[in-house]
Amino acid sequence: MNIADRIQHLRKCKGISQEELADKIGVSRQAVSKWESEQSTPDLDKILLLSDYFQTTTDYLLKGIEPVKDLEKKWSAAVFSAIGTVLNAIGLISSIIIWIERQMVYAVGIGLILMLLGTGVFLIGQFMDTTDKSRARRLFVLPNVWILLFIPLSCCFNSLDGLAGGFFGRLAPIPLLENSFQTFALYWVIYITVCIAVDIIILKKTRRESHPTLGR
């Protein structure tokens, strides 16, 4: 490994993008990209800033003498992201099953509580001293925008067709079939459009970070 490989390795262990590292060090994203692609070498003052930020030694950065300071032994934020996603999915599925069998308002509450717990687990992984946080965020947002939006959006659109059954009578974790066709169709159009748009934005950002020259 040379200095370019070590900078890239440390950055990925930290779970940050080139742009995030550039902000921490006070340089442009292009400068970090050039360091990692061996087009240039950071100045001594930047080496010092990098060693402080990554909590390693200048000898490791310059010569590879010191090992990375136990970064590989830390928990991966992706683990918390996966656990959070599973909890959120269980919340959505449980809520729908309870509603279909009982048609009781508490089905919404059970689903939202489990989703709150799942999102909390994900956030714990982001705030703890874990690795791979940027990747974990992407892994969480891509599927969970579909999961987390479903119940709140259903409740909002169910209430659009009036309060004939009372507000709480319209709280359901799925779009109700007795809604007008316009409301029912509008729900699915907005739900699918928002979810796809969010996923496209995340995927485009990931592609730019993986291939920084594409954004130039």
Side-chain angles (χ1 to χ4, degrees), residues 11 25 32 71 83 87 99 138 154-155 177 190 216:
R11 176 178 64 78
I25 304 303
V32 175
L71 284 176
I83 295 173
L87 287 172
W99 175 261
R138 293 192 295 270
S154 294
C155 292
L177 293 176
I190 292 180
R216 297 177 185 174

Side-chain angles (χ1 to χ4, degrees), residues 79-212:
V79 173
F80 293 87
S81 177
I83 295 173
T85 299
V86 170
L87 287 172
N88 288 342
I90 291 174
L92 177 60
I93 294 170
S94 300
S95 181
I96 293 174
I97 290 175
I98 293 171
W99 175 261
I100 291 174
E101 291 184 351
R102 304 287 183 90
Q103 295 195 353
M104 299 295 291
V105 175
Y106 65 77
V108 173
I110 291 174
L112 292 179
I113 289 172
L114 286 172
M115 289 181 182
L116 185 62
L117 179 62
T119 303
V121 170
F122 160 71
L123 292 175
I124 288 173
Q126 292 294 302
F127 285 106
M128 285 179 60
D129 191 16
T130 53
T131 64
D132 219 7
K133 292 183 181 180
S134 293
R135 177 171 171 268
R137 284 195 294 271
R138 293 192 295 270
L139 291 176
F140 185 82
V141 173
L142 285 172
N144 280 279
V145 64
W146 296 85
I147 298 173
L148 296 175
L149 189 61
F150 194 89
I151 293 179
L153 199 62
S154 294
C155 292
C156 290
F157 273 85
N158 289 336
S159 66
L160 288 179
D161 271 354
L163 303 176
F167 176 74
F168 291 103
R170 305 293 296 179
L171 288 179
I174 58 175
L176 297 174
L177 293 176
E178 57 262 32
N179 287 333
S180 66
F181 174 78
Q182 292 88 343
T183 301
F184 190 78
L186 184 61
Y187 167 85
W188 288 107
V189 169
I190 292 180
Y191 172 70
I192 293 173
T193 301
V194 171
C195 292
I196 290 177
V198 171
D199 282 353
I200 288 175
I201 291 171
I202 296 296
L203 291 172
K204 283 185 175 180
K205 183 179 179 182
T206 303
R207 188 163 177 250
R208 284 198 304 268
E209 292 176 356
S210 301
H211 304 88

